[in-house]
Amino acid sequence: MIFNKEEGSKRKPATFTFVLALLSIACSSVHAQSFFIRNPLESMGAQPHLSISGEVYANTKDVLLDFGIGIDDVGYDYTARLNFAFRPYTKTVLTEIEEKEWRQYFERLYIISLDLEKRFNFILFGDNNRFGPYLASKFGYFLSDYRGMSKHPNQGFKIIPAAGLGIQFDHSTFSLGYLFLNNGTDDLNGMLQFKYAFTFYKTNN
Amino acid sequence: MKKNSSLTVLFLVGLLLIACSKFPSNSCDVNKPCYTLAPDSLFVELQLTPQSDQDTIFVSFYEGNVDDGELLTTFTTSFDREYFYVPVRKRFSASARYKRGDNFYTAIDGQYISVKSSTNCEQTCFDWDERVLDLKLKIDEQE
């Protein structure tokens, strides 16, 4: 076989385009069967069910664990849960109380909150599985415990927004997002949020 | 299937409760030390960041918490450990003030001094946790 270098180089883009077109047709036919876009604001009527969740918030300086129980409405795609978050270890924190005056404490942190979340699932795939972004907010009370102190400066009500992406299967929802936690210190500002939630309801299977 | 799942969950929760609950121990280990006399007082160790000759640490020791307790004593030291003999079943706390350049750092720690009892070979034995107030400056340890 004689290979003409010039002819060969001209054929490469054409071949690549042809293969790409084939792939696109093949994938679109698959998508036509398994994926479709839905209106994220449409609902199937109120369908509230009991739901539990487990979450981890983490950044490079801190980790919090969170557990919740509440209601998941699979019709309107929202949840309302009562959550309890805590730092699973005692952390050394440094706080500037005045100019050039610093205090070092051993801190344990707890957060009791009402978590509200609205999902905007715009992709349906498989057997009623959903994917889409979510917006959430924690309405919580921070309780901190400093060893050796009776007063705890890091205490009070806070509203903490969060956003991310979630994938929802039959009873389980996995979410990955960002918690906009501004605690006034560098350590706790902004955390990644990993969440698993389980909803108790009867399926038609 | 759903009934089995519910029963399984209930069974696991029950196991967890049993595992975490305290049952009277009938163990007998003759090699295990047993202090049959409950102590009235124990030593508390204050751990400090050792200083050079020019720098000293200003230490305050309290019964209760630092912000609302009774100040028992204050002193300066450059050592890395200090000890106090204190009564049990009370809370004690301490603060240690360091100077670093133009900044002042105060490390604070506190602990409730408790004594626990258990049974070994049908004898009541007393034990206690480590009693350490960690007043070491963490920024020094990170450097």
Side-chain angles (χ1 to χ4, degrees):
Chain A
M1 189 172 76
I2 300 170
F3 177 72
N4 185 318
K5 198 174 179 181
E6 272 191 22
E7 282 294 313
S9 62
K10 282 180 188 170
R11 280 186 194 135
K12 279 182 186 172
T15 310
F16 176 75
T17 308
F18 176 70
V19 169
L20 194 61
L22 266 182
L23 272 173
S24 301
I25 292 164
C27 288
S28 63
S29 65
V30 170
H31 288 166
Q33 293 167 9
S34 305
F35 292 81
F36 65 92
I37 307 294
R38 68 183 279 266
N39 181 357
L41 299 177
E42 78 174 16
S43 72
M44 297 179 294
Q47 299 177 43
H49 300 283
L50 179 66
S51 176
I52 57 174
S53 69
E55 302 179 49
V56 177
Y57 309 128
N59 59 19
T60 56
K61 293 184 180 178
D62 209 351
V63 173
L64 297 174
L65 301 180
D66 188 311
F67 298 97
I69 184 168
I71 300 290
D72 182 359
D73 191 318
V74 297
Y76 283 108
D77 280 339
Y78 79 86
T79 61
R81 288 193 195 95
L82 191 60
N83 281 62
F84 176 69
F86 62 98
R87 183 187 286 138
Y89 59 97
T90 301
K91 186 177 182 212
T92 307
V93 297
L94 205 56
T95 308
E96 190 172 17
I97 56 169
E98 287 174 13
E99 193 181 345
K100 298 186 182 180
E101 278 288 338
W102 297 79
R103 288 275 178 93
Q104 175 184 287
Y105 301 108
F106 290 103
E107 180 189 68
R108 291 200 74 108
L109 185 65
Y110 310 93
I111 308 171
I112 297 172
S113 63
L114 174 64
D115 288 19
L116 302 177
E117 177 185 292
K118 175 75 181 93
R119 297 183 295 276
F120 302 93
N121 294 318
F122 68 97
I123 291 179
L124 274 184
F125 64 98
D127 185 15
N128 201 30
N129 301 321
R130 307 177 193 186
F131 174 81
Y134 70 87
L135 292 176
S137 191
K138 287 176 89 69
F139 300 88
Y141 188 79
F142 275 60
L143 292 158
S144 61
D145 180 55
Y146 288 1
R147 285 201 324 230
M149 297 285 289
S150 65
K151 295 185 186 65
H152 309 295
N154 186 18
Q155 221 161 262
F157 286 101
K158 293 186 204 295
I159 298 174
I160 307 155
L165 294 171
I167 186 165
Q168 194 174 341
F169 298 103
D170 227 356
H171 296 272
S172 300
T173 305
F174 298 88
S175 305
L176 175 63
Y178 189 81
L179 198 69
F180 296 88
L181 183 55
N182 186 348
N183 197 40
T185 67
D186 290 333
D187 284 358
L188 217 51
N189 288 344
M191 303 182 96
L192 282 179
Q193 177 187 32
F194 308 91
K195 179 160 64 178
Y196 170 75
F198 185 88
T199 303
F200 297 87
Y201 67 95
K202 199 184 283 188
T203 57
N204 294 328
N205 295 336
Chain B
M1 184 71 175
K2 284 197 185 303
K3 195 175 176 183
N4 285 341
S5 304
S6 306
L7 284 173
T8 308
V9 168
L10 275 171
F11 176 68
L12 288 171
V13 168
L15 265 183
L16 197 65
L17 288 171
I18 290 167
C20 296
S21 65
K22 290 181 183 175
F23 283 103
S25 169
N26 294 323
S27 65
C28 182
D29 183 356
V30 294
N31 296 320
K32 186 179 174 184
C34 176
Y35 304 101
T36 55
L37 206 60
D40 294 324
S41 303
L42 290 168
F43 278 103
V44 170
E45 178 182 307
L46 272 60
Q47 291 182 349
L48 305 157
T49 302
Q51 302 296 287
S52 60
D53 290 335
Q54 287 78 29
D55 295 326
T56 55
I57 313 163
F58 187 77
V59 180
S60 302
F61 189 67
Y62 300 80
E63 179 179 334
N65 293 309
V66 164
D67 52 350
D68 66 354
E70 179 191 347
L71 178 63
L72 297 177
T73 183
T74 61
F75 57 94
T76 55
T77 181
S78 55
F79 294 126
D80 63 349
R81 278 174 177 45
E82 297 287 345
Y83 294 90
F84 289 93
Y85 195 58
V86 296
V88 299
R89 297 190 181 88
K90 288 191 176 183
R91 179 173 295 279
F92 293 90
S93 57
S95 66
R97 196 158 186 261
Y98 301 83
K99 190 173 189 294
R100 291 287 181 275
D102 293 335
N103 293 305
F104 291 90
Y105 297 87
T106 303
I108 294 173
D109 195 5
Q111 190 178 356
Y112 180 80
I113 312 301
S114 62
V115 173
K116 297 176 291 192
S117 65
S118 60
T119 305
N120 188 35
C121 303
E122 296 179 355
Q123 251 189 336
T124 301
C125 305
F126 295 94
D127 199 1
W128 40 90
D129 292 327
E130 186 184 54
R131 302 152 321 280
V132 171
L133 299 185
D134 186 352
L135 302 173
K136 297 193 293 288
L137 204 55
K138 301 306 177 193
I139 55 165
D140 286 350
E141 291 177 4
Q142 287 165 9
E143 286 168 2

